[in-house]
């Protein structure tokens, strides 16, 4: 199997080549300069400035409250850190559903004010006109189907989507429509692995899964989940690579102890 480790900059063409060559695509969310720098240095293919920033950075219950200005702040911070990774930015709730001109204006603000490489939009047929208009302006678009958190109030639950045949058929059709509209990739969130496999096999463009099983072209996780900063979030699809909540808590307690004990700073830690 060939890999694209030596590629200087990840582009939509490289991502397509990865799918064509059978190399899986790695993607993680990032919201700030320091973490983006580490992920980029580690060789992450895509950094997603997700509207999950509303949850993990700002503490909101849903992704709905985050604004375009907030997303631009996070995205510009991420882009300043990267050398190789491809950066995609979520269009937040309320900045593209109204009409395609509004969607384009939002995408253009993101591209101009952050220098990110693409935008991501939730939805299928309903937002197709917006997707086409943004792409026609030269902005690459990543789709997002399945569990689309901006529609949580319609779904009423974060449970697995598209388990019913009618929703599965709509999802398959939406994936083809997004591909035909020119999307360069699609995220599939929390759907049955067998359906995700069917989608990945029926479109040419890369399919990136989160809770969508192993038969897709790449995987994405929210960084706080992957690093174990969210200690109470334990969905079946999540693999934790660190237990940072406990590590940071232990380090903080050690620091508090040293300050209280007048042990920090010592003679070598002062001027
Ligand atoms: O906002 C986000 O973090 C996302 C991922 C869950 C794919 O959209």
């Amino acid at each position: 199997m060939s890999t694209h480790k030596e590629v200087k900059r990840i582009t939509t063409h490289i991502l397509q080549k990865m799918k064509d060559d059978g190399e899986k695509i790695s993607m993680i969310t990032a919201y700030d300069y320091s973490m983006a720098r580490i992920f980029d240095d580690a060789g992450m293919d895509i950094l997603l400035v997700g509207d999950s920033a509303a949850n993990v950075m700002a503490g909101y219950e849903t992704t709905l409250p985050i604004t375009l200005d907030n997303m631009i702040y996070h995205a510009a911070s991420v882009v300043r850190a990267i050398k190789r990774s491809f950066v995609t930015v979520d269009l937040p709730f309320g900045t593209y559903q109204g009409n395609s001109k509004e969607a384009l204006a939002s995408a253009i603000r993101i591209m101009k004010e952050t220098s990110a490489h693409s935008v991501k939009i939730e939805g299928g047929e309903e937002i197709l006109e917006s997707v086409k208009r943004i792409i026609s302006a030269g902005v690459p678009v990543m789709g997002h189907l399945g569990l689309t958190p901006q529609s949580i109030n319609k779904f009423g639950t974060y449970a697995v989507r598209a388990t019913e045949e009618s929703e599965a058929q709509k999802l398959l059709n939406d994936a083809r429509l997004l591909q035909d509209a020119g999307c360069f990739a699609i995220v599939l969130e929390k759907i049955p692995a067998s359906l995700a496999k069917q989608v990945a096999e029926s479109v040419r463009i890369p399919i990136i899964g989160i809770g969508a099983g192993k038969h897709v072209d790449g995987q994405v996780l929210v960084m706080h989940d992957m690093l174990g900063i969210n200690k109470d979030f334990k969905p079946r699809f999540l693999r934790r690579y660190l237990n940072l909540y406990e590590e940071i808590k232990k380090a903080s307690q050690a620091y508090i102890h040293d300050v209280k004990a007048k042990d920090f700073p010592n003679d070598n830690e002062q001027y």
Side-chain angles (χ1 to χ4, degrees):
M1 188 194 74
S2 67
T3 66
H4 295 80
K5 266 193 215 136
E6 306 312 325
V7 166
K8 285 217 171 69
R9 265 217 177 266
I10 302 291
T11 62
T12 55
H13 292 95
I14 299 289
L15 295 169
Q16 182 63 55
K17 197 154 187 321
M18 286 181 180
K19 169 156 183 160
D20 297 342
D21 293 351
E23 177 181 346
K24 300 279 186 183
I25 296 167
S26 57
M27 174 164 154
I28 189 92
T29 64
Y31 316 97
D32 73 302
Y33 174 86
S34 303
M35 291 305 299
R37 202 163 168 200
I38 298 172
F39 293 140
D40 180 78
D41 192 28
M44 198 70 70
D45 297 317
I46 307 179
L47 300 189
L48 166 65
V49 184
D51 59 357
S52 50
N55 312 118
V56 295
M57 301 302 286
Y60 289 114
E61 205 173 304
T62 72
T63 57
L64 275 65
I66 201 160
T67 65
L68 190 55
D69 284 338
N70 294 156
M71 292 302 295
I72 287 171
Y73 170 79
H74 286 298
S77 309
V78 165
V79 171
R80 280 193 286 273
I82 54 110
K83 291 194 174 78
R84 175 183 175 275
S85 304
F86 183 86
V87 179
T88 193
V89 183
D90 266 328
L91 284 189
F93 178 68
T95 66
Y96 62 94
Q97 292 92 342
N99 61 62
S100 62
K101 279 193 188 159
E102 186 192 13
L104 177 59
S106 304
I108 286 180
R109 274 203 66 199
I110 287 182
M111 301 303 281
K112 262 190 183 298
E113 297 178 40
T114 75
S115 298
H117 309 122
S118 77
V119 297
K120 177 165 85 57
I121 313 189
E122 293 184 7
E125 196 171 3
E126 317 74 33
I127 52 131
L128 210 59
E129 201 187 311
S130 295
V131 169
K132 286 182 185 162
R133 194 166 207 138
I134 295 171
I135 294 172
S136 73
V139 178
V141 173
M142 178 181 275
H144 183 155
L145 298 171
L147 176 62
T148 46
Q150 291 178 16
S151 303
I152 185 58
N153 292 305
K154 185 173 87 182
F155 297 149
T157 157
Y158 286 101
V160 180
R161 301 302 313 173
T163 51
E164 303 283 332
E165 185 57 21
S166 58
E167 196 180 337
Q169 283 309 320
K170 174 172 168 20
L171 191 145
L172 264 167
N173 190 47
D174 281 344
R176 287 194 201 105
L177 290 173
L178 289 174
Q179 164 180 264
D180 296 346
C183 282
F184 72 91
I186 301 172
V187 166
L188 292 184
E189 181 165 352
K190 227 171 169 189
I191 63 167
S194 56
L195 174 61
K197 178 173 190 279
Q198 230 183 314
V199 176
E201 286 171 358
S202 66
V203 297
R204 291 181 312 277
I205 57 175
I207 298 297
I208 317 279
I210 173 164
K214 62 183 178 183
H215 302 290
V216 287
D217 307 304
Q219 297 293 329
V220 56
L221 285 175
V222 169
M223 60 161 260
H224 291 67
D225 305 337
M226 187 276 274
L227 296 172
I229 300 174
N230 286 338
K231 76 177 166 80
D232 299 322
F233 185 63
K234 294 177 183 158
R236 188 203 301 196
F237 70 77
L238 174 61
R239 185 179 295 179
R240 284 211 176 114
Y241 288 83
L242 276 176
N243 187 358
L244 266 194
Y245 185 98
E246 288 306 329
E247 291 299 313
I248 294 172
K249 187 173 162 187
K250 264 192 260 158
S252 304
Q253 287 171 332
Y255 169 62
I256 293 166
H257 172 272
D258 291 354
V259 170
K260 301 277 183 196
K262 301 180 183 145
D263 175 65
F264 174 78
N266 63 25
D267 291 346
N268 296 325
E269 291 163 331
Q270 64 187 11
Y271 298 100

